[in-house]
Amino acid sequence: MNYSKHDAKAYARENLTGIWAAALNPFNDDLSLDEVGLRSNIRHWIDDLDIQGLFVAGKQGEFFSMSLDERKRNFEIAVDECAGKAGVIVSVSDQNMDTALELARHAQNCGADYIVLHAPVLSFVQDRGEVLYQYYKRFCDELDIGIAMWSHPDSGYLMQPEECARIADLPNIVAIKYSVPREMYVKLTHMVGDKIHVSTSAEHEWLDNILELDWKLYLCSSPPYQIQSKNDQRMNEYTRLAFAGKADEARKVFDSLNPVRDAMKRTKPAGKPTAFGKYWQELLGQVGGRVRPPMLELTDAEKEIIRKGFAESGLKP
């Protein structure tokens, strides 16, 4: 790694910045991982879209449907393709702690820059604070790599700002992907924003979070490569303008993407977010591929609706 455990926070403050995208994994017709397609997508995201980093093997990547060996291979491909041109943060999340630790050690050994670890499902637990602290402390004690917390509704609860703030004092906690209502992440930013990066995956809130909260990191979802193309990089543009303090110019560019946001929202089948994302990628010339069970594939009728919405969005392929 490029830093020691006790330098992790400082290193991340300087290097875990900009737009980081969560990678969807393309699967072949036989549902094996399409390594060639994934590598092609990564090169496009880095070389053509100038994405600063990739979040690999997360929920967007369908990690829940992948074997342990496949997840490790997913890490290796991303590290190999990014090769210092972009950062790599990988999800080692798993309900089994030994599995998560094994994945974390592999991430550390294969050259990933950071790991993401989501809050575990805690059945019957009412007072979560100490449980969560000891959970993250175990990973910090056993690893040197920088760790991002991740709290989202799928755990069955949301980590409270005070719980996150206590964990943020651990030496190699460097960030949190905080998929919570805005008032919660605003509160946490005021509490620990000088120690770790606080971020959320909502692209429609990214501009306000730069301008109002001085955020430096978008961590992370699929919009960086779904609302942009080689010929149309308005997310990058409004981000650069906002970082430069040019709020009015940034807002104008941001608002120009509303037709794209609307087209995606109104054509996405409620029960098929992953298949939708992959098909939208294909319309942009990227490799989409199959989804794995339990996720559902699109029907031909749904694809036609999405194609029409894409054509009306104004996004330039």
Side-chain angles (χ1 to χ4, degrees), residues 80-94:
D80 182 51
E81 283 298 331
C82 288
K85 295 176 289 185
V88 178
I89 186 167
V90 302
S91 173
V92 303
S93 300
D94 197 274

Side-chain angles (χ1 to χ4, degrees), residues 15-276:
N15 295 280
L16 183 58
T17 58
I19 294 174
W20 289 53
L24 288 158
N25 275 323
F27 296 112
N28 293 305
D29 286 342
D30 64 0
L31 298 184
S32 60
L33 180 63
D34 182 356
E35 294 192 10
V36 173
L38 177 59
R39 288 179 182 275
S40 174
N41 283 345
I42 290 173
R43 288 194 297 272
H44 168 63
W45 298 337
I46 296 172
D47 298 339
D48 298 331
L49 303 185
D50 195 29
I51 291 172
Q52 280 80 61
L54 298 179
F55 178 16
V56 177
K59 290 193 297 180
Q60 297 273 11
E62 300 174 75
F63 83 88
F64 45 80
S65 71
M66 299 173 73
S67 70
L68 197 59
D69 286 343
E70 286 177 318
R71 293 175 71 181
K72 290 178 179 179
R73 181 61 180 157
N74 206 180
F75 299 176
E76 294 164 0
I77 292 169
V79 169
D80 182 51
E81 283 298 331
C82 288
K85 295 176 289 185
V88 178
I89 186 167
V90 302
S91 173
V92 303
S93 300
D94 197 274
Q95 192 60 18
N96 182 287
M97 184 177 278
D98 288 339
T99 298
L101 281 165
E102 181 178 343
L103 287 166
R105 293 186 186 101
H106 186 76
Q108 185 171 272
N109 293 337
C110 79
D113 296 290
Y114 315 95
I115 63 170
V116 172
L117 181 66
H118 72 53
V121 175
L122 296 176
S123 301
F124 311 117
V125 175
Q126 300 299 313
D127 185 3
R128 294 182 295 267
E130 186 64 20
V131 179
L132 290 168
Y133 181 79
Q134 294 299 331
Y135 180 78
Y136 280 99
K137 185 177 184 299
R138 169 84 181 275
F139 285 86
C140 288
D141 287 347
E142 297 198 17
L143 300 165
D144 295 322
I145 196 168
I147 300 170
M149 296 177 276
W150 186 9
S151 179
H152 53 72
D154 293 0
S155 295
Y157 61 91
L158 299 176
M159 293 172 65
Q160 295 303 301
E162 293 79 8
E163 295 167 340
C164 299
R166 183 186 178 200
I167 295 166
D169 283 334
L170 293 167
N172 43 330
I173 296 291
V174 300
I176 182 170
K177 183 177 180 181
Y178 207 25
S179 305
V180 299
R182 193 168 194 269
E183 60 268 20
M184 290 179 68
Y185 69 66
V186 169
K187 182 177 182 179
L188 183 61
T189 300
H190 292 321
M191 294 172 74
V192 301
D194 60 337
K195 296 178 184 177
I196 68 171
H197 289 291
V198 180
S199 187
T200 194
S201 60
E203 182 274 329
H204 65 280
E205 298 175 5
W206 171 226
L207 177 60
D208 286 339
N209 292 334
I210 298 172
L211 298 175
E212 297 174 15
L213 301 176
D214 196 30
W215 279 15
K216 303 299 183 187
L217 172 66
Y218 177 82
L219 182 73
C220 39
S221 191
S222 52
Y225 57 83
Q226 289 179 338
I227 65 172
Q228 298 196 110
S229 69
K230 185 175 182 178
N231 301 309
D232 189 344
Q233 296 185 31
R234 282 174 281 174
M235 185 177 180
N236 285 343
E237 185 180 357
Y238 80 68
T239 298
R240 284 192 294 267
L241 290 167
F243 280 168
K246 299 178 180 180
D248 291 342
E249 294 177 57
R251 181 75 61 189
K252 184 176 180 180
V253 178
F254 175 87
D255 289 345
S256 75
L257 281 166
N258 283 336
V260 182
R261 297 184 187 100
D262 175 69
M264 295 185 75
K265 183 177 180 180
R266 62 184 167 81
T267 64
K268 182 188 297 184
K272 302 178 180 180
T274 309
F276 168 85

